[in-house]
Amino acid sequence: MHIVVCIKQVPDSAQIRVHPVTNTIMRQGVPTIINPYDLFALEEALRLRGAHGGEVTVLTMGPPMAEDALRKALTYGADRAVLLTDRCFAGSDTLATSFALSRAIVRIGETFGAPDIVFAGKQTIDGDTAQVGPGIAKRLGLLQFTYVAKIASIDLDAREITVKRRSEGGMQMLKSRLPCLITMLEGTNEIRRGSLDDALRAARSQIVKWSAAEAGIEDLTKCGLRGSPTVVKRVFAPTTRAEKATQIDMTDKTQHGVADELIAAIFTRQPALEHELAFDGGQ
Amino acid sequence: MLKAKREAPPSAGRGGIKKELPEHFKDYRHVWVFIELERGEVHPVSFELLGEGRKLADKLGIQLAGIVLGPPGDATQHAVAEAFAYGADLVYLVEAPLLADYRNEPFTKAMTDLVNAHKPEILLLGATTLGRDLAGSVATTLLTGLTADCTELDVDVDGSLAATRPTFGGSLLCTIYTLNYRPQMATVRPRVMAMPPRTDKPVGHVIRHKLSMTEEEIITKVLGFNLDRQSAKANLAYADIVVAGGLGLGSAENLQLVTNLARAIGAEYGCSRPLVQKGWMPADRQIGQTGKTIRPKLYIAAGISGAIQHRVGVEGADLIVAINTDPNAPIFDFAHLGIVTDAIRFLPALTEAFTRRLSPHSHDKLAS
Amino acid sequence: MIEEEFDAIVVGAGMSGNAAAYTMARQGLTVLQLERGEYPGSKNVQGAIMYADMLEQIIPDFRNDAPLERHLVEQRFWLMDDTSHTGMQYRSDDFNEAKPNRYTIIRAQFDKWFSRKVREAGATVLCETTVTDLVRNAKGKVIGVRTDRAGGPIYADVVVLAEGVNGLLGTRAGLRKMLKPQSVALAVKEMHFLPDEVIEQRFGLQGDEGCVIEAAGTISRSMAGLAFLYTNKESISLGIGCLVSDFAKTMESPYVLLDAFKNHPSIRPLIAGSEVKEYSAHLIPEGGYKAIPQLFGDGWVAVGDAAQLNNAIHREGSNLAMTSGRIAGEAIIEIKGRNQPMIRRNLALYKTMLDKSFVVKDLRKYKDMPALIHTNSRNFFMTYPQLMSQAAQNFMRVDGTPKIEKEKATTAAFIKARSRWGLISDVVRLALAWR
């Protein structure tokens, strides 16, 4: 089977800094990583390849430096990497991104064989929208399963798939058909460590690089800023509240004394809480 | 008057894109809120959104509609009634057996057909697993803009929806517009908006719509549903009192101090992001931009520094108490009560003091 | 099973490893470089200052695209006591030249760039791959390595050990001894982020100009140590290092020292309002010439910190690392060109070439310095800084005391603290060691 995994290179959000004056992102020295949620999708794809044979192609859209993320994906064991990179993609929102990626997946299908499953992470850590996966599915007319916790079974001959999907308050068991798009839930597996062969192959692989034209995208009005219905009007830092926390002084007091003082302060500010606590709270 | 405002000179966006709403979008009107009905229950985020939708509709001088998609039966009728009780002016209802369980195909079909037939200006959904699954499909089918996980919704002077959401992992906020497309779609996570008051109102105008789809056309079948035994997710987001621990607790073992206090006062417990990354607590206990948003009456943060990404998840709390050794920790910028001390030593004292205060004996004394 | 055999395997992707891999790959050798970090530079910790001359000898046009932070126009040496510093400062517009001599760099970024150059030169670079063992043939010649990844071993004619100061590979293989605590320093470092205009304003810099402060004194609590502060574009690197043996003896914690340095009244205003994003610790070989271990053997050579090549007196390490890596590469190319085997006798060429370079010459010049500084650390790092500070303050403060008395008091204080003989001997020994 042929599996396409969509990944994204993201800045490690723990290390992002904001310029205190201009409120712009200071990118200097911020390392980039594969969006952590995408690794669950990649590992699931590699497991399916192990069970059913076939190939795993990783795809990303981004600047030329996104090649690092793809190479890393190859180190984990993916067979092929495609980088969709073109200045015309700059400023894409979720709709424009899903358009470009879906075109690239069509081209991947034409070039390397039609995919049976397209995987994506459940969301990215920089955008957090969780909308590109569903967007790709709709564009390609694929059946869509988001927040999948487990792929219970795949029958390649009958083209059938059964998945366990997280929903509010429970797990749905769904039976459907291939081809489909799956976004994997976090914590469902653990990314493998590629072998020395994988690492050597990854270091030497040619990454397939496609411009918009090479990916078969002719209608540039659907790409980048022009193809994005949403427009970012303003970026700003959250306003700070005028007053800071009222500090309960610790000097010359025991921890127990301060605890009593704090409880008194809580009940002064939220009188209703005391009754609720007395009746509902405790053991 | 309002119309005149909308024809005000277009403002250039960051990308230099001019506002120029195409003719065929100009009759899109009204604010819609998707009433999320799953397994007989309406997700509370739907009511929170009705509260926000009401404000937007009032500012624009238009109507607020609830969208109910569900199987024929009492639960669906109850959802319709609740939509009115939480402020809807009218309800669009698609009642069909195919909508008994959530599946992307019939729900996307029902929603897009409704939009194409009745043309809303704004469409709001909860950013739940269901809402996010549906919103992406609907927006892509309609080829319109979608702003996910908003923390604030407002109407601009020209009548556009100004949707504000955190960006770059919550370090900054950005305001996003969908200028030339309709409807303007946005999702909001549970608990980000306040729950509006419920008023007993009679069921008003209900516009029914048929689902033009048969079971044969739907490829995906539901085999079953396993209810979560105890949903920490729901409990944490909707708890009245929450106690959470951060890196300041020093070790996974010390999280006991948090759970002990939580048990003593009947609270839910959670943690900040680094603890989940360290594997000290499961992801569904994480509080913050990438975890749960909470709105309790009382929030006690122990050993949490208060990075912005945590802050946006707890700001809705009525009373925030912060315990941290660092007097300059950002958490003291948005907490109401602060104590500069080591949480590891203070939490046991606080647990004991609460227990003493809340014991039946002391309660009798207070009552007398 | 990896069938392929390489001309050379380089273990480590720091300055020395990159220099060696680049030099060899450029000349058409098949090179495999193995790095344990997530990416080249991710595990590398250094101030950091980069010396242009040594890099120019490897990549002449590096200024075109290397990620350089600021070129240095000013250097300050501070002798600190708890509340003051006595300083020497040199600043020159001559350093604003077309090809500046010294730059501050951020290693994570610089090493990534260097590694890209290595790959472009034709080497195969694998990250997140730790070499666990050296493979030897029946005669004991190193013929390859085993890694922590499944598969292997991989074979090569020669293995270049560029695994850094605490690389266990060479030690475990018995190629060199464990480091002695008295010949290695532990340095801790923080990155403080500030907008570039704030840095430029605080240090009186323009554009890409940079400034360095190096400080010694009571800050190291009488241990042999040095604190530093380097200006990058949008950040300040600052840190402090002391000998591991001293830390063990005094039970001091490097964190506490760094904290004290940051809160010193001379430093605090320079970093006020900054955001700390990175904390890192690193071992620095300080033993000098006398601690240089065996540098070559049958099928292997050691370069950079792995060979303890570090000039503690001038606080130069990366240039020695780069140069030793380059020379090792050149020696291997030379031997290969002669179609000779990579055995001990032939690889001695590396040592011969290194001996002729500034690397060993500099280290030999200061061969007695480490021992002197370390055995007298209390005088050099506690007594003298305090005396200097008292003397300077005595000199500055106008309080009606006759100047002649002030001078007498200063002299008396020096003699009292160190005795006339002690003073003279310190000066003589310092001069001898420097010579």
Short mmCIF file of all heavy atoms in Angstrom, two decimals, chain C residues 227-244:
data_model
loop_
_atom_site.label_atom_id
_atom_site.label_comp_id
_atom_site.label_asym_id
_atom_site.label_seq_id
_atom_site.Cartn_x
_atom_site.Cartn_y
_atom_site.Cartn_z
N ALA C 227 34.98 34.32 34.60
CA ALA C 227 33.62 34.59 34.16
C ALA C 227 33.68 35.37 32.85
O ALA C 227 34.68 36.04 32.57
CB ALA C 227 32.86 35.39 35.20
N PHE C 228 32.65 35.25 32.04
CA PHE C 228 32.68 35.95 30.75
C PHE C 228 31.30 36.47 30.38
O PHE C 228 30.27 35.99 30.88
CB PHE C 228 33.19 35.02 29.65
CG PHE C 228 32.33 33.80 29.44
CD1 PHE C 228 31.23 33.83 28.60
CD2 PHE C 228 32.63 32.62 30.11
CE1 PHE C 228 30.44 32.71 28.42
CE2 PHE C 228 31.83 31.49 29.93
CZ PHE C 228 30.74 31.54 29.10
N LEU C 229 31.33 37.44 29.52
CA LEU C 229 30.09 37.99 28.96
C LEU C 229 30.37 38.37 27.52
O LEU C 229 31.30 39.14 27.25
CB LEU C 229 29.65 39.22 29.78
CG LEU C 229 28.34 39.91 29.38
CD1 LEU C 229 27.78 40.67 30.57
CD2 LEU C 229 28.51 40.85 28.20
N TYR C 230 29.64 37.78 26.58
CA TYR C 230 29.82 38.07 25.16
C TYR C 230 28.54 38.65 24.61
O TYR C 230 27.45 38.19 24.93
CB TYR C 230 30.13 36.80 24.36
CG TYR C 230 31.35 36.02 24.81
CD1 TYR C 230 31.44 34.66 24.58
CD2 TYR C 230 32.43 36.66 25.43
CE1 TYR C 230 32.55 33.93 24.96
CE2 TYR C 230 33.54 35.93 25.82
CZ TYR C 230 33.59 34.57 25.60
OH TYR C 230 34.70 33.86 25.98
N THR C 231 28.66 39.63 23.74
CA THR C 231 27.46 40.19 23.11
C THR C 231 27.22 39.49 21.78
O THR C 231 28.08 39.44 20.93
CB THR C 231 27.61 41.69 22.85
OG1 THR C 231 28.79 41.90 22.07
CG2 THR C 231 27.72 42.47 24.14
N ASN C 232 26.02 38.96 21.62
CA ASN C 232 25.56 38.45 20.33
C ASN C 232 24.62 39.50 19.75
O ASN C 232 24.44 40.55 20.33
CB ASN C 232 24.85 37.12 20.50
CG ASN C 232 25.73 36.09 21.20
OD1 ASN C 232 26.89 35.96 20.87
ND2 ASN C 232 25.18 35.41 22.19
N LYS C 233 24.02 39.17 18.61
CA LYS C 233 23.11 40.15 17.99
C LYS C 233 21.95 40.49 18.92
O LYS C 233 21.74 41.64 19.26
CB LYS C 233 22.56 39.59 16.67
CG LYS C 233 23.37 39.96 15.47
CD LYS C 233 22.52 39.86 14.20
CE LYS C 233 23.38 40.10 12.97
NZ LYS C 233 24.17 38.92 12.55
N GLU C 234 21.20 39.47 19.31
CA GLU C 234 20.01 39.73 20.11
C GLU C 234 20.07 39.00 21.44
O GLU C 234 19.06 38.67 22.03
CB GLU C 234 18.75 39.26 19.35
CG GLU C 234 18.44 40.08 18.14
CD GLU C 234 17.18 39.60 17.43
OE1 GLU C 234 16.72 38.47 17.72
OE2 GLU C 234 16.67 40.35 16.60
N SER C 235 21.29 38.72 21.86
CA SER C 235 21.40 38.04 23.14
C SER C 235 22.78 38.29 23.73
O SER C 235 23.69 38.76 23.05
CB SER C 235 21.17 36.53 22.97
OG SER C 235 22.13 36.00 22.09
N ILE C 236 22.88 37.98 25.00
CA ILE C 236 24.16 38.06 25.69
C ILE C 236 24.44 36.67 26.24
O ILE C 236 23.58 36.08 26.90
CB ILE C 236 24.08 39.09 26.83
CG1 ILE C 236 24.06 40.51 26.24
CG2 ILE C 236 25.23 38.93 27.80
CD1 ILE C 236 23.82 41.60 27.24
N SER C 237 25.63 36.13 25.93
CA SER C 237 26.02 34.86 26.54
C SER C 237 26.83 35.21 27.76
O SER C 237 27.77 36.01 27.66
CB SER C 237 26.90 34.05 25.60
OG SER C 237 26.27 33.88 24.36
N LEU C 238 26.51 34.64 28.88
CA LEU C 238 27.38 34.87 30.02
C LEU C 238 27.50 33.62 30.86
O LEU C 238 26.61 32.78 30.87
CB LEU C 238 26.98 36.11 30.81
CG LEU C 238 26.05 36.06 32.01
CD1 LEU C 238 25.82 37.47 32.48
CD2 LEU C 238 24.74 35.44 31.66
N GLY C 239 28.66 33.50 31.48
CA GLY C 239 28.88 32.28 32.22
C GLY C 239 30.11 32.36 33.09
O GLY C 239 30.77 33.40 33.18
N ILE C 240 30.38 31.25 33.74
CA ILE C 240 31.54 31.20 34.63
C ILE C 240 32.05 29.76 34.66
O ILE C 240 31.25 28.82 34.56
CB ILE C 240 31.18 31.70 36.04
CG1 ILE C 240 32.41 31.81 36.92
CG2 ILE C 240 30.10 30.84 36.69
CD1 ILE C 240 32.19 32.64 38.15
N GLY C 241 33.35 29.61 34.74
CA GLY C 241 33.89 28.27 34.80
C GLY C 241 34.98 28.16 35.86
O GLY C 241 35.73 29.11 36.09
N CYS C 242 35.03 27.03 36.53
CA CYS C 242 36.07 26.77 37.52
C CYS C 242 36.51 25.32 37.38
O CYS C 242 35.80 24.50 36.79
CB CYS C 242 35.55 26.97 38.94
SG CYS C 242 35.13 28.68 39.31
N LEU C 243 37.66 25.01 37.94
CA LEU C 243 38.15 23.64 37.86
C LEU C 243 37.24 22.68 38.60
O LEU C 243 36.73 22.98 39.68
CB LEU C 243 39.55 23.56 38.48
CG LEU C 243 40.69 24.11 37.64
CD1 LEU C 243 42.01 23.89 38.35
CD2 LEU C 243 40.70 23.46 36.26
N VAL C 244 37.05 21.53 38.02
CA VAL C 244 36.21 20.51 38.63
C VAL C 244 36.74 20.12 40.01
O VAL C 244 35.99 19.97 40.97
CB VAL C 244 36.10 19.28 37.71
CG1 VAL C 244 35.42 18.12 38.43
CG2 VAL C 244 35.34 19.62 36.44
#
